[in-house]
Amino acid sequence: MKKPLVIAIIAAVVVVAVVLILVFTIGGGKAKVAVPKVGALLPLTGSLAEFGAGFVLAGDLAVEQFGEAGWPIKLEYADTETSAIPGVEAARSLVDLEKVVALIGAASSGVSIPIAESVSIPSQIPQISNASTAAMITYLPADEGKDFLFRTAPTDALQGVVLGDLAKREGYTSAAVFWVNNPYGQGLMEQFKMSFEHRGGKIVASVPHDEKPAPTYVSELKRLMDSKPDVMLALGYPGQA
C-alpha cells in the first residue's frame, strides 16, 4: 500500500505545481512563493495502524526526492485513527489551521468519504486517497460536477469482479462473506456477490462486523460456517484479523 501513497503525493504535487506556475506567470516570474504544504491524513492508530508507519516513510521519501528535483513541499501528517469523526476533525485542522493546499488520504473509504463531504469539497481543496477503494467514491453525489475527490487505488467495482471470477474458476459454487460494516466492506461485498452470482455461484451467508476490532469473532464465524460454504471471504482490516 506504500506505492499508491507515493502516487497520491505525486498527484498532489502536480496540483501544487499548477498553482505555482500560475502564480509565477501572473507575477512575471518574480513572485516569492512559500514552500506549499500538503496534508497527509494517515491511519497512525486504529484498525489500519499497521500501515501508518510505512505511509510516513513513503511520504518522507517522496518529500526528499521532490526536494532534490527542485520541487520542495512540506507534508503535514495527521492521524485519522481509522475513524470518520477523528478523520474529519484532523482534515478540518489541516485545512483551517495549517492552510494546506491539498489533502492526501484517507486510507479507509469510511474515512475518506466523510472528509470529502464535510471538508475538502466544501473548502474546494483537492483530496487524493492512496488506498480508498469503495465504488461510491467514483460517483459521490457531493462531488458531482466539482471533482475534488480522487484516488490512486483501483475501485472495488474492479476488485469485486476479479474476486468473484477467481472464486468460480477455483471451482467454488457457494461462498460466505464476513465483511467490515463500512463503505469499503459493504461495497466490496456487493461487488463480489454480483460477480460470483453472475457466474453461477451462490452466497449462502453474509455477516457484517463493526469497524472497531472485537476481542473475538467466534459467534459470527459460527454463523458463517453453519451455512456450509465451499469458501469463506473475509473483507476487513489487519486489526480485525
Side-chain angles (χ1 to χ4, degrees):
M1 295 177 72
K2 296 178 185 178
K3 187 174 181 180
L5 178 65
V6 175
I7 296 173
I9 292 173
I10 292 172
V13 170
V14 169
V15 172
V16 172
V18 171
V19 173
L20 292 177
I21 290 170
L22 289 173
V23 169
F24 275 98
T25 301
I26 294 171
K30 298 178 181 179
K32 290 184 178 180
V33 181
V35 174
K37 291 194 291 187
V38 175
L41 295 155
L42 307 180
L44 303 179
T45 58
S47 54
L48 283 178
E50 181 174 326
F51 299 108
F55 286 158
V56 172
L57 290 175
D60 289 345
L61 177 61
V63 169
E64 177 184 340
Q65 293 181 339
F66 276 113
E68 292 172 352
W71 291 93
I73 64 169
K74 182 178 181 181
L75 274 186
E76 293 286 349
Y77 296 110
D79 183 15
T80 66
E81 301 178 29
T82 323
S83 185
I85 293 176
V88 168
E89 292 174 349
R92 187 166 285 120
S93 177
L94 287 172
V95 171
D96 294 343
L97 301 180
E98 297 297 336
K99 306 299 181 183
V100 298
V101 297
L103 291 171
I104 296 170
S108 165
S109 299
V111 180
S112 291
I113 291 172
I115 288 174
E117 293 174 330
S118 301
V119 181
S120 57
I121 296 171
S123 301
Q124 298 187 345
I125 296 290
Q127 177 186 342
I128 307 166
S129 172
N130 59 302
S132 296
T133 58
M136 71 179 297
I137 287 178
T138 304
Y139 311 104
L140 190 65
D143 199 36
E144 185 177 357
K146 299 173 183 176
D147 293 331
F148 285 103
L149 179 60
F150 305 90
R151 60 169 157 212
T152 58
T155 171
D156 289 335
L158 170 63
Q159 297 188 69
V161 171
V162 173
L163 280 171
D165 179 64
L166 177 62
K168 200 64 176 68
R169 284 194 288 110
E170 288 295 320
Y172 302 124
T173 59
S174 64
V177 188
F178 190 35
W179 49 280
V180 56
N181 193 8
N182 65 11
Y184 160 69
Q186 182 176 357
L188 187 50
M189 177 274 295
E190 291 173 349
Q191 292 295 328
F192 169 75
K193 180 177 183 294
M194 182 169 57
S195 174
F196 190 56
E197 290 180 341
H198 177 71
R199 290 164 173 77
K202 181 180 180 181
I203 303 298
V204 292
S206 177
V207 178
H209 63 84
D210 194 68
E211 274 188 314
K212 185 177 180 180
T216 178
Y217 295 101
V218 171
S219 61
E220 292 91 342
L221 291 172
K222 185 177 186 305
R223 287 172 57 194
L224 290 161
M225 298 313 296
D226 283 348
S227 67
K228 302 186 184 305
D230 291 338
V231 65
M232 187 182 78
L233 177 65
L235 306 173
Y237 302 142
Q240 300 153 350

